[in-house]
């Protein structure tokens, strides 16, 4: 008998209350009962994004929200600067390309964090740039990027600043309004603890103006239409009713835990303990400045991480993610986001030690566990 544990960087595990909320007959979406639930969810989302600006709930995976941001803020033929430090940074560029938006890429070696001076220089080569697109926690590499520094560069050049924060909201401090980030994108299946299917965009007044001006052809992904509907606690189209009801439960749990601050502290504590365990096992971390949402590690020589991921799942029901792009097979990614506890982390390290040994990489049995336990014991309380 085995429990299933999703320790991937999304989708993540869900609290029981979320399953229950999504499993009951739901109200129609154009009713006061549902509008009240949506109002509550959006109020908590604004609190967790640390902003009073509107937050648009979108029925789409995270990528739908990335595309929404691009086409509503920048029109075909205009230009932008894109930070590409991994798969998700590259996605900003791919969306621009699909829509005929010219962009100057700032390429960052995978695992490294962007140097703000290089972004600054890119603006020198991009006259008339409209926007800067970046990723806060780059989930393909596990690297965290300094969006506060990027925000001040965007401000200096008077361009819109758009951040993919899909694995950083509730995981890292991201004061959207104080740092003046025009659009921040988040997604349902990461630290929000609901299934995939919804994404969210916080929209600054400047971003809303740009959305009204954009000449990109749009129909479903129309940001201004969505913001206008919010005034009536509504969405332009049928929303993912069951996910909203799930979110009402999961966000209430975050609030009860102590809100953003407690959530960020919990993720930092877990990430510190996971990194200590990996290092004690002799593994090398992939990211120079690691995100607290996941830990990316090189596998020991001779171990292909696709096989490692499969074996962990088969033998222990623990699911990691492998590497993407050119680090496929070379790194594995251990997600620690949303609904997990100390026992999930400790059990996972036990499973990893046994799997590495079974795959021919001798480990000092218990070394990872011991380091993790020490870190959890000494670290700040949950
Ligand atoms: C998960 C994730 C996304 C969203 O991808 P979808 O599969 O479209 O939901 C986007 N950016 C980052 C950084 C992510 O971690």
């Amino acid at each position: 008998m085995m429990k299933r544990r999703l320790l991937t960087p999304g989708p993540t595990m869900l609290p029981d209350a979320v399953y229950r909320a999504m499993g009951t007959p739901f109200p129609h979406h154009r009713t006061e009962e549902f509008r009240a639930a949506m109002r509550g969810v959006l109020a908590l989302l604004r609190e967790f994004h640390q902003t009073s600006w509107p937050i648009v709930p979108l029925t789409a995976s995270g990528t739908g929200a990335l595309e929404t941001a691009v086409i509503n803020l920048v029109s075909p033929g205009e230009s932008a600067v894109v930070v590409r430090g991994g798969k998700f940074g590259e996605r900003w560029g791919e969306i621009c390309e699909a829509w005929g938006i010219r962009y100057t890429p700032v390429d960052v070696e995978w695992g490294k964090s962007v140097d703000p001076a290089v972004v600054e220089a890119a603006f020198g080569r991009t006259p008339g740039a409209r926007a800067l697109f970046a990723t806060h926690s780059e989930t393909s590499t596990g690297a965290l990027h300094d969006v506060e520094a990027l925000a001040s560069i965007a401000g200096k050049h008077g361009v819109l600043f758009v951040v993919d924060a899909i694995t950083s909201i509730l995981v890292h401090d991201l004061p959207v309004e104080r740092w003046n980030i025009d659009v921040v994108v988040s997604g349902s299946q990461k630290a929000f603890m609901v299934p995939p299917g919804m994404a969210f965009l916080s929209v600054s007044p400047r971003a809303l103006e740009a959305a009204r001006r954009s000449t990109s052809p749009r129909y479903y992904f129309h940001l201004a239409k969505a913001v206008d509907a919010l005034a009536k606690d509504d969405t332009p189209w049928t929303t993912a009713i069951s996910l909203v009801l799930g979110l009402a439960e999961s966000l209430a749990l975050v609030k009860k835990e102590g809100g953003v601050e407690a959530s960020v502290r919990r993720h930092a504590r877990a990430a510190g303990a996971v990194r200590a365990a990996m290092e004690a096992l002799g593994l090398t971390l992939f990211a120079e400045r690691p995100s607290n949402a996941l830990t990316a590690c090189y596998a020991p020589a001779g171990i292909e991480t696709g096989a490692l991921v499969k074996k962990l799942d088969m033998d222990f029901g623990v699911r990691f993610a492998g590497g993407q792009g050119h680090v496929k097979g070379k790194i594995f990614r251990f997600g620690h986001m949303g609904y997990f506890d100390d026992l999930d982390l400790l059990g996972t390290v036990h499973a990893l030690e046994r799997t590495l040994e079974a795959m021919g990489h001798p480990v000092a049995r218990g070394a990872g566990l011991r380091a993790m336990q020490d870190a959890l014991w000494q670290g700040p309380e949950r």
Side-chain angles (χ1 to χ4, degrees), residues 9-11 60-66 87-89 91-92 134-140 164-168 185-190 196-199 293-294 324 333 337:
S61 87
T63 306
L66 302 183
K87 198 88 191 149
F88 293 103
R91 192 165 297 178
W92 281 128
T135 317
H136 192 194
S137 162
E138 175 49 81
T139 317
S140 62
D164 174 348
I166 294 182
T167 55
S168 72
V185 176
S186 53
S188 57
Q189 79 271 34
K190 311 286 171 101
M198 285 189 85
L294 71 149
Q324 297 168 285
R333 293 173 298 149
M337 228 183 313

Side-chain angles (χ1 to χ4, degrees), residues 231-298:
K232 292 167 275 157
D233 294 321
D234 222 338
T235 49
W237 330 111
T238 309
T239 190
I241 301 173
S242 53
L243 294 188
V244 174
L245 299 180
L247 265 176
E249 294 296 327
S250 66
L251 299 182
L253 286 174
V254 176
K255 178 77 178 166
K256 201 167 143 207
E257 178 185 38
V260 181
E261 218 182 292
S263 179
V264 168
R265 207 182 320 125
R266 181 169 68 89
H267 285 88
R269 173 179 180 272
V274 170
R275 294 195 284 262
M278 297 302 115
E279 284 173 338
L281 288 173
L283 301 175
T284 306
L285 301 183
F286 185 65
E288 197 174 47
R289 183 185 175 215
S291 162
N292 288 335
L294 71 149
T295 301
C297 280
Y298 283 106

Side-chain angles (χ1 to χ4, degrees), residues 149-370:
L150 299 185
S152 68
I153 294 169
K156 190 173 135 197
H157 291 275
V159 303
L160 295 160
F161 185 33
V162 183
V163 173
D164 174 348
I166 294 182
T167 55
S168 72
I169 287 282
L170 290 180
V171 175
H172 283 276
D173 188 35
L174 184 57
V176 170
E177 197 165 331
R178 184 151 55 80
W179 289 356
N180 218 3
I181 307 175
D182 294 288
V183 170
V184 164
V185 176
S186 53
S188 57
Q189 79 271 34
K190 311 286 171 101
F192 290 165
M193 306 183 285
V194 286
M198 285 189 85
F200 310 91
L201 302 105
S202 62
V203 185
S204 76
R206 275 197 330 159
L208 182 57
E209 268 175 49
R212 296 199 194 284
R213 264 199 330 258
S214 168
T215 60
S216 303
R218 285 159 294 170
Y219 188 77
Y220 185 77
F221 291 126
H222 202 303
L223 203 54
K225 239 190 296 199
V227 171
D228 293 344
L230 284 177
K232 292 167 275 157
D233 294 321
D234 222 338
T235 49
W237 330 111
T238 309
T239 190
I241 301 173
S242 53
L243 294 188
V244 174
L245 299 180
L247 265 176
E249 294 296 327
S250 66
L251 299 182
L253 286 174
V254 176
K255 178 77 178 166
K256 201 167 143 207
E257 178 185 38
V260 181
E261 218 182 292
S263 179
V264 168
R265 207 182 320 125
R266 181 169 68 89
H267 285 88
R269 173 179 180 272
V274 170
R275 294 195 284 262
M278 297 302 115
E279 284 173 338
L281 288 173
L283 301 175
T284 306
L285 301 183
F286 185 65
E288 197 174 47
R289 183 185 175 215
S291 162
N292 288 335
L294 71 149
T295 301
C297 280
Y298 283 106
I303 292 184
E304 198 275 320
T305 55
L308 172 74
V309 167
K310 242 184 225 155
K311 189 163 175 58
L312 259 177
D313 198 358
M314 291 268 291
D315 296 351
F316 294 97
V318 168
R319 190 77 193 183
F320 278 0
Q324 297 168 285
H326 70 273
V327 290
K328 190 170 176 359
K330 298 197 178 89
I331 65 166
F332 65 84
R333 293 173 298 149
F334 179 162
H336 26 78
M337 228 183 313
Y339 186 60
F340 65 84
D341 63 13
D342 286 5
L343 300 194
D344 290 319
L345 300 177
L346 288 160
T348 298
V349 171
H350 167 80
L352 179 63
E353 288 191 6
R354 292 191 59 178
T355 304
L356 288 173
E357 188 180 280
M359 291 180 79
H361 176 73
V363 297
R365 290 187 183 176
L369 272 171
R370 181 61 204 255

